[in-house]
Amino acid sequence: MPFQTFETIIGHNSNIAGMRAAIKAGNPGHSHLFHGPKGVGKATFAKAFAQILLCKDNSDNSEKSCGRCTSCQNMVAGQHPDFINVAMEEEKTRISVDQIRDLSAFLSLTPMESQWKIALIDDASQMNAQAANALLKTLEEPPDQSILIINTYRYGVLLPTIKSRCIKTRFSGLSQEELIDIVTKVVDSSSENIQQAVALCGGDVAQGVLLCESGVGEERGVFLREIEIIGGVDLSVVCTMAEYWSKPERFANTLLMLKAWFQEQIRGSVNSNKGPESIRKWLSLVKWADEIMGQAMVVNLNKRLVLESLFIKVARLCGAKF
Ligand SMILES: [Zn+2]
């Protein structure tokens, strides 16, 4: 994903206007909490905000970054000495107290090439209890030249004492058109493929880009043709399908395509006159499928067998006699 500025970000217009006004007023705030759905660009927004504040061409509270100074270039390169991004480390399950202590120490230093020290925590709901408590100390007494930005898509998980000390900015989900525009900027692909990827990405830009790069558009056409007739084929065909769609390079996409297809079936049952019995059957199948698919992604279940049992249930629901 190339670096974005407030001028190039798609969506979130009122949030951009709000931040620009705060910068213009010379009051960018010490502690921010950005919350809203996963993958809509909260971190991208935070970095664009930071770039303006750190820009050397910014002495008159300009609401834009110049894009040319060494500070702007360092932000784009992801190596500004006055900005850090704290995220969960690889192979860890939480953001640790040591990471938060490092962050606090960083914020208390004198800026090296700008007016501010800026830290981003992404995603803050991943902090363990000790880390969250350590962060509270910094929030209670923020160093003069510091700005802390806390991102989360799980607002309810954060400590109330953290939330109450931050200026809160809520991010909305992006529209289909906005998602398509963003993915089109990042990936060079057919519009059909981009549309299919966006339809499956659940509003998450990074997921949409990955799906697009994996060529999900073409795959989805094949998948839909096969699953639409699954009620009328032999068991051996169902097993062959399971083998094909469970291949490691395909499996994650298969689950997404299945989930989207299930939603369509439920919508279809509701809209048709098949009655509550049909809706109930789909709902209970989807509930079971969600559980087993969730397990298949984290536990080392045999993926072919998972899909085989899923496809057999779907086929039976669609009228197969085996
Ligand atoms: Zn600049």
Side-chain angles (χ1 to χ4, degrees):
M1 195 80 167
F3 192 90
Q4 302 293 317
T5 64
F6 277 179
E7 288 73 42
T8 62
I9 284 174
I10 292 172
H12 311 307
N13 295 336
S14 61
N15 290 347
I16 289 174
M19 284 303 174
R20 281 192 168 137
I23 296 167
K24 190 94 186 145
N27 185 21
H30 282 299
S31 312
H32 288 274
L33 172 54
F34 294 170
H35 63 102
K38 192 172 188 211
V40 298
K42 296 186 291 295
T44 302
F45 185 101
K47 287 171 194 169
F49 176 50
Q51 193 193 36
I52 298 174
L53 293 168
L54 297 174
C55 176
K56 291 179 173 174
D57 223 2
N58 191 24
S59 44
D60 58 347
N61 297 335
S62 160
E63 312 143 66
K64 286 183 181 174
S65 48
C66 76
R68 295 178 304 273
C69 70
T70 52
S71 184
C72 282
Q73 285 171 8
N74 281 337
M75 269 311 283
V76 172
Q79 50 192 21
H80 198 294
D82 295 323
F83 177 85
I84 54 165
N85 184 1
V86 175
M88 203 162 65
E89 288 170 349
E90 258 177 59
E91 293 178 25
K92 294 281 169 63
T93 54
R94 307 306 291 256
I95 293 173
S96 71
V97 66
D98 286 340
Q99 286 179 278
I100 298 301
R101 284 190 188 126
D102 288 348
L103 172 149
S104 301
F106 171 86
L107 286 179
S108 65
L109 296 172
T110 307
M112 290 176 76
E113 48 172 76
S114 49
Q115 285 178 277
W116 301 100
K117 293 298 255 192
I118 305 180
L120 167 66
I121 306 179
D122 184 29
D123 186 293
S125 67
Q126 292 165 329
M127 287 188 293
N128 65 23
Q130 258 185 310
N133 281 319
L135 185 68
L136 267 178
K137 295 204 182 78
T138 300
L139 282 169
E140 279 160 10
E141 289 168 36
D144 284 342
Q145 78 304 333
S146 74
I147 294 178
L148 173 62
I149 305 167
I150 302 172
N151 275 5
T152 190
Y153 68 96
R154 296 193 299 171
Y155 185 72
V157 173
L158 289 190
L159 292 177
T161 40
I162 288 183
K163 292 182 205 168
S164 67
R165 284 178 172 79
C166 295
I167 302 163
K168 291 176 271 296
T169 303
R170 199 177 79 80
F171 285 70
S172 315
L174 296 162
S175 69
Q176 293 288 300
E177 290 74 26
E178 287 168 340
L179 286 164
I180 288 171
D181 286 350
I182 296 170
V183 176
T184 304
K185 269 182 19 175
V186 184
V187 189
D188 182 17
S189 184
S190 71
S191 69
E192 167 66 11
N193 190 34
I194 291 170
Q195 280 183 17
Q196 297 279 10
V198 163
L200 291 171
C201 75
D204 183 334
V205 170
Q207 179 81 288
V209 169
L210 282 176
L211 284 166
C212 204
E213 285 172 343
S214 74
V216 77
E218 243 168 71
E219 239 176 21
R220 194 172 183 219
V222 178
F223 178 80
L224 290 177
R225 278 196 294 282
E226 291 187 4
I227 198 134
E228 291 292 348
I229 55 164
I230 198 169
V233 300
D234 290 342
L235 184 56
S236 63
V237 176
V238 175
C239 296
T240 310
M241 272 176 69
E243 184 162 7
Y244 177 82
W245 292 107
S246 62
K247 291 275 187 284
E249 70 275 17
R250 209 168 278 136
F251 185 67
N253 283 1
T254 303
L255 297 188
L256 285 170
M257 292 188 291
L258 249 181
K259 278 184 188 176
W261 188 76
F262 282 147
Q263 295 309 316
E264 281 169 34
Q265 301 315 301
I266 292 170
R267 263 200 305 276
S269 308
V270 172
N271 292 335
S272 73
N273 294 324
K274 287 181 185 159
E277 189 58 22
S278 162
I279 300 169
R280 248 198 310 277
K281 278 184 186 165
W282 277 113
L283 285 174
S284 84
L285 173 62
V286 170
K287 187 164 177 270
W288 175 82
D290 270 348
E291 267 168 38
I292 193 159
M293 290 193 286
Q295 283 172 14
M297 288 309 284
V298 286
V299 190
N300 199 13
L301 295 181
N302 183 317
K303 294 178 172 47
R304 184 178 60 77
L305 290 180
V306 166
L307 276 190
E308 213 169 272
S309 56
L310 255 164
F311 285 157
I312 287 174
K313 284 199 185 233
V314 173
R316 286 180 178 156
L317 193 52
C318 295
K321 294 288 177 269
F322 46 77

